[in-house]
Amino acid sequence: MELEQWIDSLEGALQSDTRRFDQRVAIYNRLVDMAARYLDTPHPAARPQLVRVDKVKGNDYNPNKVAPPEMRLLRLSMAKDGQTVPVVVARGSRGALQIVDGFHRRSVAKNAPEVREALSGYLFIVELDKPFEDRITSTVRHNMARGAHKVELTAKLVTALKSYNWSSERIGRELGMEPDEVLRLKQMTGLAEAFADREYSRAWD
């Protein structure tokens, strides 16, 4: 049977299916995963999955802070428009799903009754396969691209990256910062000790 005929047959079977929502979620996730593997693209956006919102955990390093008016607008947006952007996660210890980007979307999906009900207690996610220190830079890049990061918290993350023996040059490259931006961050936040290495002056001349 031709692939297109298989798809038509599958579509008919799905339309007549009467399984519970949680059972349909499992089938949906499997179908999306199959389609993403068929497409053979590395982009996480090609593989959105539905998971229980309570299984998605926050992190303690996110430098993105949202003021109450923006949080109210986010809640209204998700209530009126639904979840339009998946939450980005990565697997932590013991397979836990830890947020890389989307902490506030997850908070609304979990705590706003009308949004939680609309999503049936689930959350759309996409998953990154990255070690912990690379998740930190992913979080900062997402936040900086939106212009929503705090200098003092970004400095905390830079210090954390230094603890992984990342060079100043690598930190700047991974965070999309020019050398003078990294230097200014150091000066503004008292990170002289974290950057007190010969490598800094040699690599960033």
Side-chain angles (χ1 to χ4, degrees):
M1 186 182 294
E2 294 290 337
L3 181 58
E4 289 78 7
Q5 291 177 298
W6 277 107
I7 294 174
D8 290 340
S9 178
L10 174 61
E11 184 176 13
L14 292 173
Q15 289 176 349
S16 61
D17 191 72
T18 59
R19 288 177 174 84
R20 300 190 315 270
F21 186 78
D22 59 335
Q23 294 173 320
R24 284 184 280 142
V25 165
I27 292 172
Y28 166 86
N29 285 343
R30 186 176 177 186
L31 289 172
V32 169
D33 186 65
M34 289 171 56
R37 283 187 278 116
Y38 171 74
L39 191 60
D40 191 24
T41 174
H43 298 286
R47 190 179 274 105
Q49 298 281 281
L50 271 169
V51 298
R52 287 282 184 186
V53 66
D54 295 325
K55 291 187 176 181
V56 180
K57 307 301 180 183
N59 61 60
D60 58 2
Y61 60 81
N62 185 10
N64 184 9
K65 301 295 181 182
V66 176
E70 283 75 17
M71 280 298 294
R72 289 193 294 270
L73 183 59
L74 176 60
R75 177 171 177 169
L76 178 63
S77 174
M78 293 183 69
K80 295 289 187 180
D81 304 322
Q83 185 186 351
T84 59
V85 180
V87 171
V88 183
V89 304
R91 297 265 172 191
S93 59
R94 301 179 181 177
L97 295 173
Q98 187 177 53
I99 294 172
V100 173
D101 180 69
F103 179 85
H104 302 100
R105 294 193 296 279
R106 176 275 216 160
S107 294
V108 171
K110 181 178 180 179
N111 300 316
E114 70 278 19
V115 177
R116 187 178 181 114
E117 181 179 356
L119 285 164
S120 299
Y122 282 85
L123 186 70
F124 284 97
I125 65 161
V126 294
E127 188 172 340
L128 296 182
D129 182 16
K130 291 191 173 189
F132 181 76
E133 62 267 31
D134 286 325
R135 296 178 213 168
I136 292 177
T137 56
S138 292
T139 296
V140 175
R141 283 193 296 266
H142 277 86
N143 290 340
M144 292 178 71
R146 289 191 299 267
H149 69 290
K150 301 292 184 179
V151 170
E152 64 273 15
L153 290 173
T154 301
K156 177 182 176 182
L157 300 191
V158 169
T159 304
L161 293 173
K162 291 291 287 185
S163 72
Y164 283 92
N165 295 319
W166 280 37
S167 68
S168 302
E169 181 181 23
R170 182 182 179 186
I171 290 172
R173 183 174 63 249
E174 292 294 326
L175 297 184
M177 291 181 176
E178 296 294 331
D180 62 331
E181 291 181 279
V182 179
L183 179 60
R184 186 164 58 251
L185 180 67
K186 179 198 75 169
Q187 293 170 337
M188 291 175 62
T189 56
L191 290 177
E193 182 177 351
F195 284 87
D197 51 52
R198 294 180 180 178
E199 160 275 318
Y200 181 88
S201 59
R202 183 171 62 250
W204 287 66
D205 284 341

